[in-house]
Amino acid sequence: EVPPWVKNLSIDEAAKRLGLSKTEFLDGGYAVKLSLDSQLQQVANTALSAVREYHPAIIVVESTTGRVLAVSGTEYNVLLSRRQMGSLIKPLYYLEGFLQHEITPSMMLADIPFTLGDWAPQNFDRRFRGTVTVEEALRLSLNVPSVRVYLRVGPFRSLDFIRETVGLKGNYPNDLTISLGTVESTPWQVLEAYTLIPNGGVQTKLCLVDQINDRFGNTLYKHSPLVKRIEAEGILPLGEAMDILRQILKSVVTSGTGVSALVKGIDMGGKTGTARRDAWFFSWAGRVMGLVSIHWDEPLNLTGGGNAAPVWREIVEGLPCVFRRPSEEKLRPALIGSLNASVHTLQDTYVLSLGWPTDVESFSKLLEVLLESSENERIKLLSEINEYDPQMASELWREIQRLEDGKAP
């Protein structure tokens, strides 16, 4: 049974899709099909019980499509109310550091007391380790060396990357505490921004509505993925910087602050976040990614690793087989170009070699290319096809999903 507040959320989205007010939509007799997976929704509802008293929000989506597969909480506002992010912000400016080659995983950072004006940042455990690597600083979510990373990358460059390049919406303070997550954003906005991490720099718009029919049964809207590759320039290619970040975030769940989320035998990574009244865990696992956010009003000793991450573990343990993958997906060479081919090269190949894809032969060739490509290259090419022919891109995507679902154990 879908809670009333989820129905309200879907009605708001559906009305927006059709360019109608909520009243016009409700009076129009439209039928809405949601993207929710009934089995996974039940898993999320059960996982929620451990933190129900803390205003929880859980969102699980299909990573490459943005389709919301499960959403759970106590009320409508939990998805759309702003919460302080804490250390969940860190991967974004670390990513910019890797892009600009300001930092590498093995680079050493000082983890000793220091002050910036009246501010003296502290590690969560109030301990200093002398020196740590960049990898350790992010894996263990150490505040002091992370502030040093933020300063090394540059406060203005870091802020511009987070707010403009990644497009994370929220309230931003005008000081260096941004580095430790005093940014306030909503669970929905955070997850939508963070889709770039499992997708190799490509963001997918979250969507709860799969289809809308009018009162006569005519289909007015059918979901097709809305994807956007972030416009990030650096010394390293975006894909290489993303690979570095993902490897560290994988270690977060094997030997870092997110170890209580670990489920063996499935490809996963994640990041914890803890603020004064908020705790978070972002993660991807198999074909899904998601976010667990909890909020409390009275002072409590809750953490992202201790309280939000175990909720995600329960969700991953209950993942239906269709959303699981082998632990490590093997990258296969694309039929056109190399894995390092630029978007423009792929675009030129598509236009010059295959022509305008309105015939069966072109569709089959494109489908073959996409099926033999790695997931990241597939998303890049689909994004370019979408600019020329959105309908063709949508049909290719649905055919790929149909074929891959048929292979699932």
Side-chain angles (χ1 to χ4, degrees):
E1 180 67 22
V2 178
W5 68 269
V6 176
K7 291 181 180 178
N8 285 335
L9 187 65
S10 66
I11 289 170
D12 286 346
E13 182 181 315
K16 186 176 180 181
R17 298 283 178 195
L18 298 184
L20 302 175
S21 68
K22 188 171 183 178
T23 301
E24 289 171 331
F25 183 86
L26 291 173
D27 291 342
Y30 300 98
V32 178
K33 179 184 176 184
L34 302 184
S35 56
L36 299 177
D37 178 87
S38 58
Q39 185 178 346
L40 190 51
Q41 181 65 47
Q42 183 57 50
V43 170
N45 290 341
T46 302
L48 184 81
S49 59
V51 290
R52 182 173 295 277
E53 62 186 295
Y54 304 124
H55 308 293
I58 299 174
I59 315 172
V60 185
V61 306
E62 191 171 33
S63 300
T64 52
T65 68
R67 295 174 64 247
V68 177
L69 302 172
V71 57
S72 195
T74 51
E75 58 179 334
Y76 182 97
N77 288 338
V78 295
L79 299 182
L80 306 176
S81 58
R82 286 178 171 170
R83 302 174 171 194
Q84 204 169 83
M85 293 179 63
S87 291
L88 188 58
I89 196 77
K90 291 174 182 174
L92 297 183
Y93 62 83
Y94 272 75
L95 174 59
E96 174 67 350
F98 295 135
L99 267 170
Q100 304 306 330
H101 208 55
E102 292 287 353
I103 55 172
T104 64
S106 60
M107 179 182 289
M108 302 303 296
L109 299 168
D111 184 19
I112 58 177
F114 80 110
T115 59
L116 294 165
D118 296 330
W119 185 43
Q122 296 283 333
N123 290 325
F124 186 80
D125 59 7
R126 300 282 171 171
R127 292 175 49 222
F128 295 98
R129 292 158 177 79
T131 56
V132 296
T133 64
V134 165
E135 187 273 342
E136 289 171 326
L138 186 54
R139 174 169 56 87
L140 301 176
S141 201
L142 301 176
N143 290 339
V144 172
S146 291
V147 174
R148 295 184 186 278
V149 169
Y150 189 80
L151 293 171
R152 184 180 182 89
V153 175
F156 293 109
R157 174 186 280 175
S158 296
L159 179 58
D160 183 71
F161 181 78
I162 296 169
R163 188 162 54 185
E164 304 301 329
T165 304
V166 174
L168 177 64
K169 299 180 177 69
N171 289 332
Y172 287 78
N174 188 28
D175 56 40
L176 294 174
T177 62
I178 289 175
S179 61
L180 301 185
T182 51
V183 176
E184 295 178 345
S185 189
T186 74
W188 191 275
Q189 290 169 337
V190 169
L191 186 57
E192 196 161 78
Y194 277 53
T195 56
L196 68 91
I197 294 177
N199 290 334
V202 176
Q203 293 174 320
T204 55
K205 193 169 183 63
L206 305 191
C207 185
L208 183 59
V209 174
D210 247 0
Q211 186 171 313
I212 306 172
N213 291 346
D214 64 18
R215 66 177 72 207
F216 305 108
N218 300 310
T219 300
L220 304 179
Y221 166 82
K222 192 160 188 172
H223 173 259
S224 60
L226 296 174
V227 300
K228 180 188 74 171
R229 186 171 178 82
I230 65 169
E231 298 294 330
E233 296 182 356
I235 295 174
L236 288 187
L238 177 60
E240 189 174 334
M242 292 299 314
D243 287 343
I244 294 171
L245 178 64
R246 277 198 302 270
Q247 283 302 121
I248 297 177
L249 296 186
K250 286 182 180 183
S251 72
V252 168
V253 298
T254 57
S255 58
T257 56
V259 70
S260 59
L262 178 63
V263 177
K264 294 183 178 179
I266 190 166
D267 178 31
M268 65 184 301
K271 183 67 187 79
T272 56
T274 304
R276 282 184 55 206
R277 299 182 186 275
D278 299 284
W280 306 72
F281 188 68
F282 156 79
S283 180
W284 74 89
R287 286 179 56 182
V288 306
M289 61 175 287
L291 189 71
V292 177
S293 173
I294 57 180
H295 173 84
W296 54 96
D297 298 320
E298 301 299 326
L300 294 170
N301 189 27
L302 302 181
T303 66
N307 301 93
V311 176
W312 180 252
R313 181 187 65 231
E314 188 171 345
I315 291 171
V316 175
E317 288 174 340
L319 271 181
C321 289
V322 70
F323 298 118
R324 290 178 173 267
R325 278 198 187 122
S327 294
E328 293 291 340
E329 183 183 14
K330 293 181 180 178
L331 298 178
R332 294 170 295 174
L335 291 182
I336 52 173
S338 68
L339 290 174
N340 295 322
S342 69
V343 173
H344 296 296
T345 302
L346 290 170
Q347 174 183 321
D348 291 342
T349 306
Y350 161 65
V351 174
L352 299 177
S353 300
L354 302 179
W356 191 252
T358 55
D359 56 86
V360 174
E361 183 181 2
S362 292
F363 183 92
S364 299
K365 286 181 180 178
L366 281 170
L367 182 62
E368 186 179 8
V369 168
L370 290 165
L371 288 172
E372 290 297 325
S373 298
S374 70
E375 188 170 330
N376 288 343
E377 287 296 325
R378 183 183 298 172
I379 291 173
K380 285 195 294 184
L381 184 52
L382 277 170
S383 298
E384 291 299 323
I385 296 172
N386 187 67
E387 291 185 11
Y388 287 90
D389 191 334
Q391 182 178 352
M392 174 62 73
S394 178
E395 289 174 358
L396 285 165
W397 184 266
R398 283 198 290 269
E399 182 65 11
I400 290 168
Q401 295 301 299
R402 185 187 70 79
L403 292 171
E404 291 194 339
D405 287 347
K407 295 178 183 177

